[in-house]
Amino acid sequence: MMNAMIANREEIAVGDQVWVIDPMFVQSNGIISAEVIEIRRVLGEQTYLIETHMGERKLVGANQIS
C-alpha cells in the first residue's frame, strides 16, 4: 500500500519508500532512501522500522523521514 490518505492526512504505511532526513543518519549525499518494514509504538509515539538501500535497519520517528 502506498501512502494512504486518511482523514485528509498523508500517513506512512508499511512498504512505502521514504527519505531519511535526520542529519544523524544521513551520509555525505544528504539523504538516504529506505523502505518502511514495520510500524511500532514506542513510549506512546509512532515509530518506523526502516531498511536503507544498503540493507541497514533503523528505528526512526516521523520527524526523521519524509
Side-chain angles (χ1 to χ4, degrees), residues 7-39:
N8 295 326
R9 190 175 103 205
E10 194 171 316
E11 292 196 3
I12 297 171
V14 172
D16 282 353
Q17 296 294 316
V18 296
W19 296 107
V20 180
I21 56 175
D22 190 315
M24 187 170 129
F25 297 121
V26 297
Q27 299 169 341
S28 59
N29 66 359
I31 53 174
I32 297 174
S33 64
E35 179 179 346
V36 177
I37 303 297
E38 186 178 335
I39 300 173

Side-chain angles (χ1 to χ4, degrees), residues 19-61:
W19 296 107
V20 180
I21 56 175
D22 190 315
M24 187 170 129
F25 297 121
V26 297
Q27 299 169 341
S28 59
N29 66 359
I31 53 174
I32 297 174
S33 64
E35 179 179 346
V36 177
I37 303 297
E38 186 178 335
I39 300 173
R40 302 178 181 175
R41 291 200 73 76
V42 176
L43 298 174
E45 296 292 325
Q46 190 158 330
T47 59
Y48 304 92
L49 178 62
I50 59 167
E51 184 171 324
T52 68
H53 65 282
M54 295 174 18
E56 297 177 73
R57 288 189 175 197
K58 302 176 187 297
L59 191 62
V60 298

